[in-house]
Structure formats: C-alpha cells, structure tokens
Amino acid sequence: TGVQTCALPIYRNREALDPLKRALAMNLKSTEAMRAFMDCIGRLGLWAEGLTALDAALLVSPDDAEIHCGRGLMLHSLKRYEEAYAALDRSVALAPNRTPVLAEVLRIRLHDCYWKDDGALARLQNNIAAGDFIEPLRAMELIHEPDLQLASTRAYTARVFSVQTPLWRGQAYRHERIRVAYLSADFCFHVVATVLVDLIERHDQSAFEVHALSFGPDDRSAMRGRLERAFDTFTDVSK
C-alpha cells in the first residue's frame, strides 16, 4: 500500500524517494517496491544511489533477474559499460523468457551496437505472439513485424488503460478550418522539435487550425518560444 501511495504523483519524485527507500528496506524481495524505487531513481538521475540499493537487494536475492537487469541499467547510466553488459547478460540467463527483462536488455544492446545472438529477440517476439506485450514505442524500436507491433500495442492498451466512455457520440459538425492537435513531450530544445517546427510553421493558416498539447518540460529555450508562436494555441498539460 505504501509503495503505490508514495510513488505518486510522478512529478514529486524527490518527496517519494525516502518513503520508497523505507519500503524497499522493509522488503528487499518486493518486486513492486523495487520497480517503484528504480523508476523514481531514474527520474531523478541518482544512478549511484540506485546502484547501492540494488547491490543490497542482490545480497538477499542473488538470482533475481529483474535486480540484475536494474543493476545493468544503472551501471550503463554510470557509463560502466562492461559491468553493465555482464549484469544484463546475467539477467537474461536467469530469466530467458521474461518479457520486461528481454525488452530492456535488447534496448541497451541495440543502443550500443552490442550484438549478441542468444535468441533473446526471437523469444521476445514469441512472447508477444502468445499475448504478452511491451510499451508501444519500445515495440516499434525492437520489433519489425507490423502484426506483432499491433498485437503488443493492443495488449498493452487493454492492460494499462481502463475502458472509457467515448466523448464523441457520432454527431457531425464542421469548422471553418480543419482542426489538428499535436501531442508531444518534446516541445523544447529537442531533436523532434528541430525537425518538426518548420512543418508546424508551414501549415496553411487559411485551411488549418493547429493546437499543441505539451506534456514535456518547458526549458524556456528559443525553440520552445518558436513553437509556442507557431501554433494557434499552445497548452502545457505536463502537470
């Protein structure tokens, strides 16, 4: 109960950290506490502190694949690459068919061009074909078969999001201009913004009404200001 409560909302990570530490200390074998702690550590960028906690957890559960995977991610963030690869490979050896572990390990391998043919990708694909899932953007990154991407995304959506009553009831309506909304976490000094801003500015203002919903940071950069001016409306929904 404490883990779920203290971890939210996600933008109060600094406040959440100490309660999560206590929850983890009370039960180093708690997968829920470990995942919440790692998520909080990741958002705060406290990799060394997270690694210390995972080392302690590993003394209690030396064969826990998710702890080894978490250590690998922390070590990778600390640029201790050889140690990171060893920890990630160990996590796959301990849990060769666990989907979250496979996805994280394959992500790092792809990012670093660390090629190792141990069948991890094939097993991940088999898991998804059997009904398991990974986060949608991760599926696009790791899997090249459109049918498997779609299957994973459908399974993810069904599990993560509750069924909502549609706001649109089928009524027809028209506007003077076509209304288009762009949703992004990257309306700041970011590569996505760099390649997108010219497109936004080139919308035919007589035919389109363009809106932004920003759920990322306001870095107060020149790019942020340029984007805010490019849209008809710019709404910060990050909180």
Side-chain angles (χ1 to χ4, degrees):
T1 305
V3 174
Q4 293 180 356
T5 302
C6 66
L8 297 172
I10 61 172
Y11 289 97
R12 296 171 63 183
N13 294 289
R14 181 62 63 178
E15 295 174 59
L17 185 58
D18 285 340
L20 283 170
K21 285 181 182 177
R22 291 195 295 272
L24 189 59
M26 290 169 63
N27 186 359
L28 288 172
K29 291 187 177 182
S30 169
T31 300
E32 183 186 33
M34 181 63 66
R35 286 178 178 172
F37 174 76
M38 288 172 57
D39 182 63
C40 187
I41 284 288
R43 292 180 184 278
L44 292 170
L46 301 175
W47 313 118
E49 189 169 340
L51 183 61
T52 299
L54 292 179
D55 286 340
L58 205 59
L59 294 175
V60 178
S61 304
D63 294 326
D64 188 306
E66 292 203 21
I67 296 177
H68 282 280
C69 184
R71 284 190 75 254
L73 298 177
M74 298 290 175
L75 287 163
H76 191 269
S77 296
L78 291 167
K79 300 183 179 182
R80 293 163 58 180
Y81 297 117
E82 295 303 322
E83 295 174 81
Y85 302 147
L88 293 170
D89 289 349
R90 177 62 176 159
S91 71
V92 173
L94 287 166
N97 290 300
R98 190 172 301 172
T99 298
V101 170
L102 290 171
E104 290 293 353
V105 171
L106 287 167
R107 177 180 67 84
I108 294 296
R109 289 179 180 176
L110 183 65
H111 181 274
D112 292 2
C113 299
Y114 174 65
W115 313 123
K116 181 168 182 173
D117 185 13
D118 58 359
L121 179 58
R123 293 195 299 276
L124 176 67
Q125 292 174 324
N126 290 337
N127 289 354
I128 290 174
D132 210 343
F133 61 86
I134 55 179
E135 191 270 336
L137 288 179
R138 185 75 70 239
M140 293 179 65
E141 181 181 16
L142 299 177
I143 298 171
H144 302 295
E145 290 75 9
D147 290 346
L148 287 180
Q149 291 178 354
L150 180 60
S152 178
T153 299
R154 283 177 168 166
Y156 173 90
T157 303
R159 180 73 61 85
V160 175
F161 299 103
S162 60
V163 176
Q164 302 290 333
T165 302
L167 296 177
W168 184 59
R169 302 291 185 173
Q171 66 273 30
Y173 58 92
R174 295 183 62 83
H175 301 290
E176 291 292 326
R177 297 182 291 167
I178 296 172
R179 293 178 172 180
V180 181
Y182 289 83
L183 293 78
S184 179
D186 303 323
F187 289 140
C188 55
F189 186 66
H190 187 280
V191 62
V192 171
T194 301
V195 299
L196 183 69
V197 64
D198 190 54
L199 169 68
I200 301 300
E201 292 172 337
R202 288 174 180 268
H203 279 72
D204 181 352
Q205 293 294 320
S206 67
F208 293 94
E209 179 181 303
V210 289
H211 303 268
L213 295 173
S214 173
F215 50 91
D218 178 3
D219 62 354
R220 304 186 184 279
S221 63
M223 178 60 70
R224 174 73 170 210
R226 182 179 170 187
L227 283 162
E228 290 180 351
R229 293 188 296 272
F231 289 96
D232 287 278
T233 66
F234 191 101
T235 306
D236 186 341
V237 295
S238 62
K239 298 296 189 292

